Amino acid sequence: MDKLKMQTPDLTDKNIEQIAQLFPNVITETRDENGVVKKAVDFDLLKQALSKTLVEDDNERYRLDWPGEKASLLKANIPITKTLRPCREESVNFDTTENLYIEGDNFEVLKILQESYLGKVKMIYIDPPYNTGNDFIYKDDFKKSKEEYEEELGTTDEEGGKLFRNTDSNGRFHSDWLSMMYERLIVARDLLKDDGVIFISIDDGEQDNLKKICDEIYGEGNLLNTICLENDSRARPYGSLATTHEYILVYSKYQDFIYEILEDTEKEFNDKDDKGGFDLYELRNRNITFNVENRPNLYYPFYVNPNNMDENKLFEISLVNKQGWVEVYPQESQGIKTVWRWGKEKAANNLNTVLFAKEAKNEAGYQIVKKYRAVTYTLNTIWNDKEIKTDRGTLETKALFDNKKYFDFPKPVDLIKRLLKISTKSDSVILDFFSGSATTAHAVMQLNAEELMEEFATKNTKKHENEGNADSEKFRDLSCVSWQKKGKRKFIMVQLPEKTDENSEAYKAGYKTIAEIGKERIRRAGKKILEELATKNTKKHEKEEGKSQKSLFSENKEETFSDLSCLSWQKNLDIGFRVYKTADTNMKDVFYHPAKLKQEELFKLESNIKEDRTPEDLLTQVILDLGLELSLPVETKKMLENTVFIVQTNALVACFDNDIDFKIVDSIAALKPFKVVFKDASFKDDKDRINVEERFKRLSPETKVTVI
Ligand SMILES: C[S@@+](CC[C@H](N)C(=O)[O-])C[C@H]1O[C@@H](n2cnc3c(N)ncnc32)[C@H](O)[C@@H]1O
């Protein structure tokens, strides 16, 4: 319910509104005497607007400034003490998966991942709130001191509570959004590989501001493209011009990034010869800016033998005139003599293998053409195909949730798949820290599955062709190796447990937060991908290979493919994910603020670890602290009477049991781990601790022993 203001209106605000109507460009955002950001008039600009001569302004500069920018920068650099807690019950295939779903504020999560994923992410895609005037933005309080920030970042745990609706009547409408984006983009950049890339969806509202902060963070020169996306082709009859597009800004971390070459595996060629399919392209350059005047070396004749035509109706050619052969120069266009694309030497090397002549359609004579066999294609920066329209995204997510709409405007899977195809390798790490309904996770699994199936189809066909050959065994071994490298992209989704509206269908169906929708979407999408591709694969094999080759999913698959078990794409497809949630540190305050505690309180503390924390919680924090990836395989083993965690064979071995005796120390040392971690409280006294270190020095000198 609205509250009465019980005071007269603020006339300054009203005046500013009136000036804004006349001169919108002079309205800016600034702080008042209490440090509160509000709308204000840039008097220098207003002076200029009312003056016929140039008004000198000593502060003139080219850059985007907003109140809160410096505080954001400061915030981006401050360490936090938060951690992640694993949540097995909500995960899928926790022990084997390499995908992560992290619930929490993305700013905190990005900071928590700093050590473990520094320079490891190949591609980031984000689709942040566009600041439409109705979006929920994460609230930051820029009035706070450095210490207060630190305190708040380290202890606040109510992510949902910090969201506020950013309406355009908010005096700091742009500033709040910019600060929110700025600090996150700064921290995210560090996670990118040197040849990494970030794609950011945005619309006209903040595109210009976003571009400016990205120019600052990533460098103007690293803006690779601005993709213009026609997201809705149906213009509504509301006004004169309907906005039907949005953008994707593409920035590379450094110049090292190159787009992946796209292959059209379904491509059908117009013609075929003994080398396979091909299309024909004219050798003539149709662009008249290149002509005989400025490219004289590209203007020369070919000679066509009219009596030697092959089965594709292509004629033999030469660069030397012969009796009865027809001379062909590049055709004129608009009275200008055009030129060939290739010089004489390159043409000579390709005569009658790549270059031929064909009868010109509309006029007498011949055209020189080249055979083009590549299945690669190039995208341009305007994307308007139906697969990537917004309503596709809605339909796809509805289809997964029994035709119910639980999430507004999810991105279409094919859109993200396309971004993945042009920017990632088979084993890349992909991060989306505004994950929403987890379309990016869906797209990663889908692309991995398609890649695995494609690879299987190729290997499978080749294997059958080779059957009976002496080489077939060798081939099988090799194929398994290459096979296992395919479809191994891993995703990291980050999503705030933002509450769903109590009146929404999602809430009524039991999804109390967007994170719950996201997790369920990945579970359902993974299952569906397996089912769909199994069907597709069966049909494809039945259609293409006929009876000679049985489908992987046919009833006889065991018999037919028993020797190809390593090629089962199902086993290689990771549709699982580990769920982690942000939480305050596992350590009691004494760990971070020992000075604040009195001596007698110290004696009362048996352990520096909070009582509610499990050994798996501790392991997660240790993994993060040591800068190891969260997706590493963890084996939980009973050794003697103790529970021991073995992370990636021997990268790290941890035991958080209370009583550590030398027998277990010796057993762990026998594993020769790189790092070993115990609980400080597990040792009776300093003497025991020193003894353990000494034992390791003797039994496994390379091991680094640490306690928490
Ligand atoms: C536009 S949606 C993303 C939609 C997504 N691309 C899809 O296809 O479903 C933006 C999401 O970011 C989430 N979000 C906003 N602020 C966040 C924050 N500080 N940390 C994590 N997630 C946040 C919102 O809850 C929302 O679900």
Side-chain angles (χ1 to χ4, degrees):
M1 195 188 297
D2 286 340
K3 257 190 171 174
L4 283 178
K5 284 206 182 86
M6 313 264 270
Q7 64 178 32
T8 56
D10 183 332
L11 289 180
T12 313
D13 286 347
K14 226 173 151 191
N15 291 340
I16 291 176
E17 284 310 321
Q18 282 174 3
I19 289 181
Q21 283 183 13
L22 282 175
F23 306 104
N25 62 319
V26 308
I27 300 302
T28 177
E29 293 176 3
T30 187
R31 285 185 197 284
D32 67 11
E33 62 284 3
N34 301 317
V36 176
V37 178
K38 53 189 290 183
K39 278 189 190 165
V41 175
D42 182 330
F43 288 105
D44 289 328
L45 278 184
L46 183 63
K47 248 198 276 174
Q48 186 63 71
L50 300 174
S51 169
K52 289 192 176 162
T53 54
L54 185 69
V55 178
E56 291 301 328
D57 171 13
D58 290 344
N59 296 325
E60 203 170 38
R61 72 257 157 209
Y62 174 75
R63 66 166 192 219
L64 173 68
D65 274 336
W66 71 94
E69 182 187 5
K70 286 203 199 96
S72 280
L73 204 53
L74 176 73
K75 242 179 113 186
N77 295 329
I78 291 175
I80 60 168
T81 57
K82 282 208 148 191
T83 190
L84 297 178
R85 297 184 72 181
C87 183
R88 273 186 176 265
E89 339 49 281
E90 295 180 17
S91 309
V92 174
N93 304 337
F94 189 96
D95 288 321
T96 50
T97 184
E98 295 192 76
N99 298 318
L100 307 177
Y101 189 96
I102 307 177
E103 237 179 270
D105 166 33
N106 49 20
F107 184 50
E108 291 173 346
V109 175
L110 289 169
K111 283 188 165 233
I112 294 171
L113 297 183
Q114 277 297 301
E115 296 276 323
S116 302
Y117 287 89
L118 193 76
K120 293 198 178 144
V121 174
K122 178 77 169 92
M123 183 267 210
I124 298 178
Y125 169 72
I126 52 166
D127 176 19
Y130 288 179
N131 210 20
T132 55
N134 205 24
D135 288 334
F136 284 102
I137 302 291
Y138 213 63
K139 193 169 181 75
D140 298 301
D141 191 344
F142 299 109
K143 276 184 297 176
K144 294 199 167 158
S145 67
K146 181 174 174 288
E147 289 70 30
E148 283 169 324
Y149 274 130
E150 211 167 340
E151 195 74 12
E152 183 190 295
L153 284 169
T155 55
T156 313
D157 202 11
E158 296 213 338
E159 286 86 356
K162 290 208 286 184
L163 280 174
F164 76 104
R165 196 182 283 279
N166 195 21
T167 60
D168 47 15
S169 61
N170 170 17
R172 42 196 293 169
F173 176 65
H174 292 290
S175 304
D176 278 344
W177 187 86
L178 277 169
S179 293
M180 187 274 290
M181 291 300 291
Y182 188 63
E183 58 207 26
R184 284 163 177 77
L185 288 170
I186 291 177
V187 186
R189 182 179 179 275
D190 290 338
L191 301 186
L192 278 179
K193 283 170 72 123
D194 287 355
D195 62 348
V197 67
I198 179 165
F199 296 92
I200 313 174
S201 281
I202 195 69
D203 72 3
D204 274 319
E206 296 285 1
Q207 189 269 349
D208 55 340
N209 285 334
L210 180 66
K211 185 180 169 297
K212 288 201 185 84
I213 56 171
C214 286
D215 280 349
E216 191 183 315
I217 299 167
Y218 292 89
E220 224 175 317
N222 291 332
L223 171 70
L224 296 177
N225 288 107
T226 301
I227 298 168
C228 182
L229 206 74
E230 191 188 48
N231 50 5
D232 182 1
S233 46
R234 294 160 304 178
R236 290 174 201 86
Y238 292 155
S240 49
L241 272 181
T243 303
T244 54
H245 71 279
E246 58 179 58
Y247 308 94
I248 300 178
L249 299 186
V250 193
Y251 281 86
S252 59
K253 184 170 182 183
Y254 299 118
Q255 310 286 330
D256 304 14
F257 173 79
I258 30 176
Y259 283 114
E260 295 294 311
I261 292 169
L262 294 176
E263 276 194 14
D264 182 357
T265 47
E266 311 271 287
K267 184 167 170 68
E268 285 178 13
F269 290 100
N270 291 324
D271 292 291
K272 203 173 163 201
D273 60 15
D274 52 354
K275 291 199 187 81
F278 64 87
D279 286 329
L280 290 176
Y281 288 98
E282 243 196 298
L283 185 66
R284 185 175 71 99
N285 192 339
R286 287 162 168 262
N287 184 351
I288 55 170
T289 8
F290 304 105
N291 54 53
V292 68
E293 299 300 329
N294 53 24
R295 297 284 189 280
N297 56 326
L298 297 180
Y299 188 80
Y300 55 90
F302 284 93
Y303 298 93
V304 180
N305 180 358
N307 301 316
N308 187 5
M309 186 181 81
D310 68 13
E311 64 283 4
N312 287 305
K313 300 193 175 148
L314 298 176
F315 292 87
E316 184 189 2
I317 55 173
S318 163
L319 287 167
V320 192
N321 198 2
K322 298 180 190 172
Q323 183 70 39
W325 289 38
V326 182
E327 187 177 63
V328 178
Y329 272 98
Q331 209 183 305
E332 278 192 13
S333 173
Q334 300 168 44
I336 293 174
K337 286 184 175 154
T338 60
V339 289
W340 306 120
R341 287 179 182 277
W342 292 355
K344 231 175 175 175
E345 198 183 328
K346 189 166 177 190
N349 292 333
N350 288 285
L351 284 180
N352 304 312
T353 49
V354 177
L355 290 186
F356 294 86
K358 90 172 198 191
E359 241 162 355
K361 269 189 190 142
N362 299 325
E363 70 257 40
Y366 297 90
Q367 264 183 343
I368 304 301
V369 287
K370 54 181 178 177
K371 287 184 177 178
Y372 193 75
R373 300 180 190 275
V375 288
T376 58
Y377 63 97
T378 314
L379 288 169
N380 59 31
T381 48
I382 297 183
W383 292 7
N384 55 5
D385 19 330
K386 62 179 185 312
E387 290 80 19
I388 53 153
K389 303 266 192 264
T390 305
D391 54 359
R392 264 299 170 108
T394 306
L395 290 175
E396 284 161 357
T397 3
K398 271 172 74 180
L400 284 172
F401 286 101
D402 315 314
N403 219 20
K404 300 265 169 41
K405 191 174 168 196
Y406 293 152
F407 191 82
D408 289 333
F409 309 118
K411 289 285 183 271
V413 174
D414 273 355
L415 171 67
I416 314 297
K417 220 171 73 185
R418 185 177 297 178
L419 298 177
L420 292 168
K421 275 189 186 171
I422 59 176
S423 65
T424 65
K425 310 259 182 227
S426 292
D427 60 349
S428 297
V429 177
I430 290 113
L431 167 68
D432 180 344
F433 56 88
F434 285 98
S435 145
S437 69
T439 309
T440 305
H442 188 160
V444 167
M445 294 189 296
Q446 182 85 39
L447 183 60
N448 279 345
E450 287 170 18
E451 197 176 277
L452 284 169
M453 201 184 76
E454 198 56 48
E455 188 69 4
F456 176 81
T458 319
K459 300 289 180 233
N460 199 21
T461 313
K462 287 212 181 119
K463 190 211 168 260
H464 279 263
E465 281 167 10
N466 276 275
E467 232 148 27
N469 290 354
D471 267 357
S472 80
E473 271 306 297
K474 199 173 82 195
F475 170 79
R476 182 164 65 83
D477 288 347
L478 285 175
S479 68
C480 291
V481 173
S482 80
W483 173 255
Q484 276 150 14
K485 289 188 181 149
K486 291 285 172 182
K488 290 261 176 286
R489 289 173 190 80
K490 306 172 236 303
F491 64 74
I492 305 175
M493 297 293 108
V494 186
Q495 173 59 39
L496 201 64
E498 182 180 334
K499 294 196 171 55
T500 48
D501 189 312
E502 290 194 10
N503 297 317
S504 66
E505 284 210 57
Y507 187 88
K508 288 178 200 156
Y511 300 105
K512 302 286 188 269
T513 66
I514 294 179
E516 283 170 25
I517 301 176
K519 283 174 283 185
E520 184 58 17
R521 193 232 179 119
I522 309 177
R523 289 183 200 110
R524 294 185 182 214
K527 206 164 153 258
K528 191 165 179 234
I529 287 168
L530 281 185
E531 283 164 10
E532 270 179 7
L533 290 181
T535 322
K536 258 194 211 161
N537 191 62
T538 311
K539 289 209 178 114
K540 192 170 178 209
H541 281 263
E542 277 167 9
K543 195 171 141 215
E544 285 176 10
E545 273 95 39
K547 289 171 201 87
S548 68
Q549 193 173 305
K550 292 184 180 110
S551 156
L552 172 61
F553 302 97
S554 71
E555 288 188 355
N556 297 326
K557 70 174 183 195
E558 299 265 306
E559 176 204 317
T560 318
F561 296 100
S562 57
D563 57 340
L564 278 171
S565 55
C566 66
L567 296 186
S568 157
W569 60 262
Q570 276 171 305
K571 265 201 275 165
N572 285 280
L573 184 65
D574 186 358
I575 55 160
F577 58 96
R578 288 184 182 179
V579 176
Y580 290 93
K581 299 186 183 185
T582 50
D584 54 347
T585 171
N586 295 318
M587 315 310 283
K588 286 180 184 163
D589 259 5
V590 60
F591 187 79
Y592 295 107
H593 308 288
K596 286 191 195 157
L597 282 167
K598 295 196 191 103
Q599 190 64 26
E600 64 272 21
E601 284 174 321
L602 262 171
F603 289 128
K604 275 192 239 156
L605 289 165
E606 277 178 17
S607 159
N608 55 352
I609 292 160
K610 288 178 182 153
E611 271 73 33
D612 65 333
R613 303 306 160 104
T614 64
E616 271 203 326
D617 288 335
L618 302 183
L619 180 71
T620 306
Q621 187 157 14
V622 167
I623 288 176
L624 289 166
D625 277 10
L626 294 178
L628 299 172
E629 286 172 36
L630 278 174
S631 56
L632 291 180
V634 179
E635 194 190 342
T636 312
K637 232 177 165 178
K638 266 268 171 251
M639 283 171 85
L640 305 171
E641 287 305 297
N642 297 88
T643 305
V644 176
F645 298 102
I646 303 173
V647 181
Q648 204 182 35
T649 326
N650 64 349
L652 162 70
V653 175
C655 178
F656 304 115
D657 287 353
N658 281 333
D659 296 310
I660 296 289
D661 67 23
F662 290 116
K663 279 196 210 130
I664 185 69
V665 170
D666 290 357
S667 310
I668 292 176
L671 300 173
K672 307 258 183 268
F674 286 112
K675 285 175 183 149
V676 64
V677 181
F678 299 107
K679 249 180 6 178
D680 199 22
S682 306
F683 302 103
K684 275 202 295 295
D685 48 33
D686 281 352
K687 210 173 98 226
D688 262 10
R689 210 174 292 123
I690 292 164
N691 278 341
V692 166
E693 262 186 305
E694 288 306 317
R695 258 185 134 80
F696 268 100
K697 268 191 201 144
R698 198 159 39 82
L699 300 171
S700 176
E702 303 294 315
T703 304
K704 192 169 177 311
V705 189
T706 316
V707 289
I708 57 164

